[in-house]
Amino acid sequence: MEPPCSPQVVVEDGGEEEEEELSGGEESELRSSSGRGSLLTRRGITLRVLLKDGLVEPGDGALTIHYLGKKFVGDLLTDGKIRWVETGQIFNSPSAWATHCKRLVNPAKKSGCGWASVRYRGQKLVQYKTSWLHKYQPSADMSLVSEEEDEDEEEEGKTAVPAEEKNKNAKPGLHDIMVARRTDRERIPVRYGNLGARDPSRDPHTLVELSAFSAINRFQPFNVAVSSNVLLLMDFHCHLTTSEVVGYLGGRWDTTTQLLTVLRAFPCRTRLADKESASAVEEEICQNLFMRGLSLVGWYHSHPRGPALPSLQDIDSQMDHQLRLQGSNNGFQPCLGIICGPYYHGNQGVASTITPFWVVPPPESFSSKQRPNDYGIPVAVEVTYVQDNFLTSDVLNEMMLLVDYYRTAPDIVQFSQYWCPDTTMMDKIKGSLSGHAPKDQAYSQILEHVYSQLSITQ
């Protein structure tokens, strides 16, 4: 093995078909050729193509492989090659690197299933390949892409099953979920630095990666504490429907300690497109806040099947909320935004991904109360989660009202269907909510009653 100071180009001769390095002319030819979808899938789309078209970016530690309990980290270079961090070795393709790494763990391994095994910033490379095909070759045969994912099942010692056999043994509702998984991977987030100035022609649903306060040379200007009951009610609300939902957050802002405490979630029992009832619902929430001596401190919404990252539209909405809460006296009061992703298959396990965020205005707008010309900078907010002692009657009542509201909705989640081959949607919501459990163990019996009402709606 060569030392890190002496990089080595590695070409593996495993059982998997290797991607070939293409010249710029060959890439252009493939891009303009309309009848070669399978060629594009298996050979034409290289990391260099994805880099050239802006779907991925070079970066240190951007690539990872997880195999049989081992983790391998690689740098994505500007020429589309991969440098293994541990040794400095250079690999021409994901397949070469994956095969090499897996053989170190399992010498009998014949191939690396590179595009399905290697992840770029947490997402499988094959998902970026699919997005490229959707954009540049919409008529291409997608079955070859899914074959690569099937091969990846061998990683944990499973036996790959033919597609026909899978369909024959599939549990009820599973096909719909797998279709949903394909739509998940189409929304690939972009870095804020790549957005540039505000562009009216840009898709407002474009997702944007969160920055850290430290990355923009700033400190988080406030501390945040969120009650576990807030998370439980919010997560429950977001699990009920395949459509996007929204709600508000009530709490207190302490100017002395600079602590924002989120104590209550207020789900909006209305459709996002229903402007007529929206004002009445918001008025009711304002009254509830006043009766409980709470202030409006933020809002939440869901990305049902997508990553819990803000879109350009979310960034603008968050900026508007922040400017509104700032008030007319120029006093600072933070407004917390939270995105919940319940059914995104990039999540770890059954738990929803919950992302608290804030928006830092662009430099030229710090003295303005108007929406800036450039997009605000979405930043991740560090939060302390406080476990409640018990499930309050307020939260339980709100959960039952939500069940009643969505009971006859056409987009209510079918909880008897399967989230994945061995987990129903009901198992999924129970597992996710258990992460927000209060200290009092009696809550489980109370929630079982709520879950039974969900079953009745089906």
Side-chain angles (χ1 to χ4, degrees), residues 34 82 92 150 171 183 185 211 233 238 244 260 275 281 286 324 334 370 381 383 411 425 446 458:
S34 60
I82 300 168
N92 285 330
D150 293 341
K171 297 179 180 180
T183 63
R185 65 175 69 107
S211 300
L233 180 55
C238 295
E244 189 170 314
L260 185 74
K275 304 299 183 184
V281 170
C286 286
R324 236 180 252 122
Q370 302 299 318
V381 173
V383 171
D411 52 357
M425 292 291 198
I446 299 173
Q458 320 272 298

PDB file of all heavy atoms in Angstrom, residues 34 82 92 150 171 183 185 211 233 238 244 260 275 281 286 324 334 370 381 383 411 425 446 458:
ATOM      1  N   SER A  34     -29.963  10.478 -28.733  1.00  0.00           N
ATOM      2  CA  SER A  34     -31.262  10.253 -28.093  1.00  0.00           C
ATOM      3  C   SER A  34     -31.606   8.798 -27.910  1.00  0.00           C
ATOM      4  O   SER A  34     -32.466   8.470 -27.108  1.00  0.00           O
ATOM      5  CB  SER A  34     -32.352  10.937 -28.932  1.00  0.00           C
ATOM      6  OG  SER A  34     -32.363  10.379 -30.242  1.00  0.00           O
ATOM      7  N   ILE A  82     -11.411  10.017  -7.337  1.00  0.00           N
ATOM      8  CA  ILE A  82     -11.642   9.913  -5.899  1.00  0.00           C
ATOM      9  C   ILE A  82     -10.321   9.653  -5.193  1.00  0.00           C
ATOM     10  O   ILE A  82      -9.575   8.744  -5.581  1.00  0.00           O
ATOM     11  CB  ILE A  82     -12.636   8.774  -5.592  1.00  0.00           C
ATOM     12  CG1 ILE A  82     -13.989   9.034  -6.276  1.00  0.00           C
ATOM     13  CG2 ILE A  82     -12.826   8.612  -4.086  1.00  0.00           C
ATOM     14  CD1 ILE A  82     -14.916   7.831  -6.254  1.00  0.00           C
ATOM     15  N   ASN A  92     -10.221   5.945 -10.210  1.00  0.00           N
ATOM     16  CA  ASN A  92     -10.823   6.546 -11.392  1.00  0.00           C
ATOM     17  C   ASN A  92     -12.337   6.661 -11.320  1.00  0.00           C
ATOM     18  O   ASN A  92     -12.931   7.442 -12.064  1.00  0.00           O
ATOM     19  CB  ASN A  92     -10.456   5.741 -12.642  1.00  0.00           C
ATOM     20  CG  ASN A  92      -9.021   5.980 -13.077  1.00  0.00           C
ATOM     21  OD1 ASN A  92      -8.480   7.060 -12.862  1.00  0.00           O
ATOM     22  ND2 ASN A  92      -8.405   4.971 -13.663  1.00  0.00           N
ATOM     23  N   ASP A 150     -30.413  -2.619  -6.668  1.00  0.00           N
ATOM     24  CA  ASP A 150     -30.677  -3.994  -6.266  1.00  0.00           C
ATOM     25  C   ASP A 150     -29.387  -4.698  -5.894  1.00  0.00           C
ATOM     26  O   ASP A 150     -29.324  -5.466  -4.938  1.00  0.00           O
ATOM     27  CB  ASP A 150     -31.374  -4.759  -7.405  1.00  0.00           C
ATOM     28  CG  ASP A 150     -32.769  -4.223  -7.679  1.00  0.00           C
ATOM     29  OD1 ASP A 150     -33.314  -3.549  -6.786  1.00  0.00           O
ATOM     30  OD2 ASP A 150     -33.289  -4.474  -8.775  1.00  0.00           O
ATOM     31  N   LYS A 171     -45.564  -6.744  -0.273  1.00  0.00           N
ATOM     32  CA  LYS A 171     -46.710  -6.612   0.612  1.00  0.00           C
ATOM     33  C   LYS A 171     -47.626  -5.512   0.091  1.00  0.00           C
ATOM     34  O   LYS A 171     -47.208  -4.644  -0.657  1.00  0.00           O
ATOM     35  CB  LYS A 171     -46.231  -6.278   2.024  1.00  0.00           C
ATOM     36  CG  LYS A 171     -45.385  -7.396   2.619  1.00  0.00           C
ATOM     37  CD  LYS A 171     -44.903  -7.037   4.009  1.00  0.00           C
ATOM     38  CE  LYS A 171     -44.065  -8.148   4.594  1.00  0.00           C
ATOM     39  NZ  LYS A 171     -43.575  -7.840   5.940  1.00  0.00           N
ATOM     40  N   THR A 183     -39.391   9.659  -6.198  1.00  0.00           N
ATOM     41  CA  THR A 183     -39.592  11.101  -6.238  1.00  0.00           C
ATOM     42  C   THR A 183     -38.734  11.789  -5.190  1.00  0.00           C
ATOM     43  O   THR A 183     -38.371  12.939  -5.356  1.00  0.00           O
ATOM     44  CB  THR A 183     -41.074  11.453  -6.006  1.00  0.00           C
ATOM     45  OG1 THR A 183     -41.462  11.020  -4.690  1.00  0.00           O
ATOM     46  CG2 THR A 183     -41.958  10.793  -7.031  1.00  0.00           C
ATOM     47  N   ARG A 185     -35.617  11.363  -4.437  1.00  0.00           N
ATOM     48  CA  ARG A 185     -34.245  11.636  -4.831  1.00  0.00           C
ATOM     49  C   ARG A 185     -34.134  12.694  -5.925  1.00  0.00           C
ATOM     50  O   ARG A 185     -33.065  13.076  -6.309  1.00  0.00           O
ATOM     51  CB  ARG A 185     -33.558  10.358  -5.301  1.00  0.00           C
ATOM     52  CG  ARG A 185     -34.138   9.746  -6.544  1.00  0.00           C
ATOM     53  CD  ARG A 185     -33.293   8.556  -6.971  1.00  0.00           C
ATOM     54  NE  ARG A 185     -33.429   7.462  -6.037  1.00  0.00           N
ATOM     55  CZ  ARG A 185     -34.099   6.345  -6.279  1.00  0.00           C
ATOM     56  NH1 ARG A 185     -34.706   6.198  -7.435  1.00  0.00           N
ATOM     57  NH2 ARG A 185     -34.198   5.403  -5.389  1.00  0.00           N
ATOM     58  N   SER A 211     -26.215  26.329   6.174  1.00  0.00           N
ATOM     59  CA  SER A 211     -24.866  26.693   6.583  1.00  0.00           C
ATOM     60  C   SER A 211     -24.798  26.676   8.107  1.00  0.00           C
ATOM     61  O   SER A 211     -25.824  26.720   8.794  1.00  0.00           O
ATOM     62  CB  SER A 211     -24.513  28.096   6.072  1.00  0.00           C
ATOM     63  OG  SER A 211     -24.575  28.158   4.667  1.00  0.00           O
ATOM     64  N   LEU A 233     -46.293  16.683  19.101  1.00  0.00           N
ATOM     65  CA  LEU A 233     -47.493  17.137  18.388  1.00  0.00           C
ATOM     66  C   LEU A 233     -47.161  17.518  16.946  1.00  0.00           C
ATOM     67  O   LEU A 233     -47.901  17.183  16.014  1.00  0.00           O
ATOM     68  CB  LEU A 233     -48.107  18.322  19.128  1.00  0.00           C
ATOM     69  CG  LEU A 233     -49.378  18.917  18.510  1.00  0.00           C
ATOM     70  CD1 LEU A 233     -50.449  17.849  18.318  1.00  0.00           C
ATOM     71  CD2 LEU A 233     -49.906  20.065  19.389  1.00  0.00           C
ATOM     72  N   CYS A 238     -47.433  16.124  11.117  1.00  0.00           N
ATOM     73  CA  CYS A 238     -46.775  15.955   9.822  1.00  0.00           C
ATOM     74  C   CYS A 238     -46.910  14.532   9.278  1.00  0.00           C
ATOM     75  O   CYS A 238     -46.817  14.323   8.062  1.00  0.00           O
ATOM     76  CB  CYS A 238     -45.294  16.315   9.941  1.00  0.00           C
ATOM     77  SG  CYS A 238     -45.000  18.059  10.338  1.00  0.00           S
ATOM     78  N   GLU A 244     -48.340  18.821   2.352  1.00  0.00           N
ATOM     79  CA  GLU A 244     -47.587  19.674   3.267  1.00  0.00           C
ATOM     80  C   GLU A 244     -48.514  20.300   4.296  1.00  0.00           C
ATOM     81  O   GLU A 244     -49.633  20.712   3.978  1.00  0.00           O
ATOM     82  CB  GLU A 244     -46.870  20.770   2.472  1.00  0.00           C
ATOM     83  CG  GLU A 244     -45.892  21.590   3.280  1.00  0.00           C
ATOM     84  CD  GLU A 244     -45.034  22.493   2.411  1.00  0.00           C
ATOM     85  OE1 GLU A 244     -44.522  22.000   1.380  1.00  0.00           O
ATOM     86  OE2 GLU A 244     -44.883  23.682   2.754  1.00  0.00           O
ATOM     87  N   LEU A 260     -34.788  31.650  23.874  1.00  0.00           N
ATOM     88  CA  LEU A 260     -36.097  31.444  23.254  1.00  0.00           C
ATOM     89  C   LEU A 260     -36.597  30.064  23.672  1.00  0.00           C
ATOM     90  O   LEU A 260     -35.979  29.043  23.345  1.00  0.00           O
ATOM     91  CB  LEU A 260     -35.986  31.522  21.732  1.00  0.00           C
ATOM     92  CG  LEU A 260     -37.298  31.453  20.948  1.00  0.00           C
ATOM     93  CD1 LEU A 260     -38.053  32.774  21.077  1.00  0.00           C
ATOM     94  CD2 LEU A 260     -37.029  31.142  19.479  1.00  0.00           C
ATOM     95  N   LYS A 275     -57.340  29.989   1.390  1.00  0.00           N
ATOM     96  CA  LYS A 275     -57.071  31.313   1.923  1.00  0.00           C
ATOM     97  C   LYS A 275     -58.210  31.820   2.806  1.00  0.00           C
ATOM     98  O   LYS A 275     -58.002  32.591   3.743  1.00  0.00           O
ATOM     99  CB  LYS A 275     -56.838  32.311   0.773  1.00  0.00           C
ATOM    100  CG  LYS A 275     -55.719  31.903  -0.186  1.00  0.00           C
ATOM    101  CD  LYS A 275     -54.386  31.800   0.514  1.00  0.00           C
ATOM    102  CE  LYS A 275     -53.278  31.460  -0.473  1.00  0.00           C
ATOM    103  NZ  LYS A 275     -51.970  31.252   0.192  1.00  0.00           N
ATOM    104  N   VAL A 281     -58.390  30.511  11.151  1.00  0.00           N
ATOM    105  CA  VAL A 281     -57.555  29.589  11.914  1.00  0.00           C
ATOM    106  C   VAL A 281     -56.442  30.346  12.634  1.00  0.00           C
ATOM    107  O   VAL A 281     -56.157  30.103  13.814  1.00  0.00           O
ATOM    108  CB  VAL A 281     -56.964  28.505  10.979  1.00  0.00           C
ATOM    109  CG1 VAL A 281     -55.893  27.695  11.710  1.00  0.00           C
ATOM    110  CG2 VAL A 281     -58.058  27.585  10.473  1.00  0.00           C
ATOM    111  N   CYS A 286     -54.037  32.865  17.585  1.00  0.00           N
ATOM    112  CA  CYS A 286     -53.639  34.069  18.316  1.00  0.00           C
ATOM    113  C   CYS A 286     -54.365  34.166  19.654  1.00  0.00           C
ATOM    114  O   CYS A 286     -53.767  34.538  20.677  1.00  0.00           O
ATOM    115  CB  CYS A 286     -53.929  35.313  17.473  1.00  0.00           C
ATOM    116  SG  CYS A 286     -52.791  35.540  16.096  1.00  0.00           S
ATOM    117  N   ARG A 324     -41.379  40.531  10.525  1.00  0.00           N
ATOM    118  CA  ARG A 324     -42.647  40.851  11.178  1.00  0.00           C
ATOM    119  C   ARG A 324     -42.508  40.853  12.695  1.00  0.00           C
ATOM    120  O   ARG A 324     -43.008  41.733  13.380  1.00  0.00           O
ATOM    121  CB  ARG A 324     -43.708  39.837  10.744  1.00  0.00           C
ATOM    122  CG  ARG A 324     -44.934  40.498  10.137  1.00  0.00           C
ATOM    123  CD  ARG A 324     -45.960  39.475   9.719  1.00  0.00           C
ATOM    124  NE  ARG A 324     -46.037  39.354   8.273  1.00  0.00           N
ATOM    125  CZ  ARG A 324     -45.840  38.243   7.596  1.00  0.00           C
ATOM    126  NH1 ARG A 324     -45.561  37.136   8.225  1.00  0.00           N
ATOM    127  NH2 ARG A 324     -45.925  38.238   6.295  1.00  0.00           N
ATOM    128  N   PRO A 334     -36.050  36.741  18.042  1.00  0.00           N
ATOM    129  CA  PRO A 334     -35.871  35.697  17.021  1.00  0.00           C
ATOM    130  C   PRO A 334     -37.176  34.998  16.684  1.00  0.00           C
ATOM    131  O   PRO A 334     -38.109  34.959  17.489  1.00  0.00           O
ATOM    132  CB  PRO A 334     -34.887  34.730  17.687  1.00  0.00           C
ATOM    133  CG  PRO A 334     -35.075  34.930  19.147  1.00  0.00           C
ATOM    134  CD  PRO A 334     -35.445  36.371  19.331  1.00  0.00           C
ATOM    135  N   GLN A 370     -37.265  45.543   4.517  1.00  0.00           N
ATOM    136  CA  GLN A 370     -37.842  44.982   3.318  1.00  0.00           C
ATOM    137  C   GLN A 370     -37.086  43.721   2.916  1.00  0.00           C
ATOM    138  O   GLN A 370     -35.933  43.526   3.278  1.00  0.00           O
ATOM    139  CB  GLN A 370     -37.774  46.007   2.173  1.00  0.00           C
ATOM    140  CG  GLN A 370     -38.484  47.312   2.492  1.00  0.00           C
ATOM    141  CD  GLN A 370     -39.965  47.120   2.765  1.00  0.00           C
ATOM    142  OE1 GLN A 370     -40.629  46.353   2.071  1.00  0.00           O
ATOM    143  NE2 GLN A 370     -40.483  47.809   3.768  1.00  0.00           N
ATOM    144  N   VAL A 381     -29.815  25.929  13.376  1.00  0.00           N
ATOM    145  CA  VAL A 381     -29.905  26.455  14.736  1.00  0.00           C
ATOM    146  C   VAL A 381     -29.682  25.321  15.729  1.00  0.00           C
ATOM    147  O   VAL A 381     -30.338  24.276  15.651  1.00  0.00           O
ATOM    148  CB  VAL A 381     -31.287  27.113  14.983  1.00  0.00           C
ATOM    149  CG1 VAL A 381     -31.451  27.513  16.442  1.00  0.00           C
ATOM    150  CG2 VAL A 381     -31.463  28.325  14.079  1.00  0.00           C
ATOM    151  N   VAL A 383     -30.230  23.562  19.128  1.00  0.00           N
ATOM    152  CA  VAL A 383     -31.400  23.558  20.004  1.00  0.00           C
ATOM    153  C   VAL A 383     -31.173  22.582  21.156  1.00  0.00           C
ATOM    154  O   VAL A 383     -30.594  21.507  20.967  1.00  0.00           O
ATOM    155  CB  VAL A 383     -32.667  23.159  19.215  1.00  0.00           C
ATOM    156  CG1 VAL A 383     -33.846  22.930  20.139  1.00  0.00           C
ATOM    157  CG2 VAL A 383     -33.008  24.238  18.185  1.00  0.00           C
ATOM    158  N   ASP A 411     -56.033  12.671   1.139  1.00  0.00           N
ATOM    159  CA  ASP A 411     -54.587  12.499   1.226  1.00  0.00           C
ATOM    160  C   ASP A 411     -54.125  12.027   2.603  1.00  0.00           C
ATOM    161  O   ASP A 411     -52.947  12.141   2.937  1.00  0.00           O
ATOM    162  CB  ASP A 411     -53.877  13.811   0.869  1.00  0.00           C
ATOM    163  CG  ASP A 411     -54.402  14.998   1.665  1.00  0.00           C
ATOM    164  OD1 ASP A 411     -55.347  14.807   2.453  1.00  0.00           O
ATOM    165  OD2 ASP A 411     -53.872  16.112   1.500  1.00  0.00           O
ATOM    166  N   MET A 425     -46.922   1.761   8.085  1.00  0.00           N
ATOM    167  CA  MET A 425     -46.975   3.196   8.368  1.00  0.00           C
ATOM    168  C   MET A 425     -47.302   3.443   9.844  1.00  0.00           C
ATOM    169  O   MET A 425     -46.815   4.398  10.449  1.00  0.00           O
ATOM    170  CB  MET A 425     -48.028   3.869   7.483  1.00  0.00           C
ATOM    171  CG  MET A 425     -47.665   3.896   6.012  1.00  0.00           C
ATOM    172  SD  MET A 425     -46.269   4.998   5.701  1.00  0.00           S
ATOM    173  CE  MET A 425     -46.431   5.251   3.934  1.00  0.00           C
ATOM    174  N   ILE A 446     -52.112   6.285  26.539  1.00  0.00           N
ATOM    175  CA  ILE A 446     -52.894   7.391  25.983  1.00  0.00           C
ATOM    176  C   ILE A 446     -52.728   7.445  24.468  1.00  0.00           C
ATOM    177  O   ILE A 446     -53.703   7.595  23.716  1.00  0.00           O
ATOM    178  CB  ILE A 446     -52.447   8.729  26.617  1.00  0.00           C
ATOM    179  CG1 ILE A 446     -52.686   8.697  28.130  1.00  0.00           C
ATOM    180  CG2 ILE A 446     -53.179   9.902  25.986  1.00  0.00           C
ATOM    181  CD1 ILE A 446     -52.125   9.898  28.864  1.00  0.00           C
ATOM    182  N   GLN A 458     -59.445   4.397   8.719  1.00  0.00           N
ATOM    183  CA  GLN A 458     -59.086   3.660   7.505  1.00  0.00           C
ATOM    184  C   GLN A 458     -60.167   2.628   7.199  1.00  0.00           C
ATOM    185  O   GLN A 458     -60.011   1.749   6.457  1.00  0.00           O
ATOM    186  CB  GLN A 458     -57.742   2.979   7.684  1.00  0.00           C
ATOM    187  CG  GLN A 458     -56.727   3.846   8.427  1.00  0.00           C
ATOM    188  CD  GLN A 458     -55.936   4.753   7.528  1.00  0.00           C
ATOM    189  OE1 GLN A 458     -55.207   4.275   6.670  1.00  0.00           O
ATOM    190  NE2 GLN A 458     -56.040   6.041   7.702  1.00  0.00           N
TER     191      GLN A 458
END
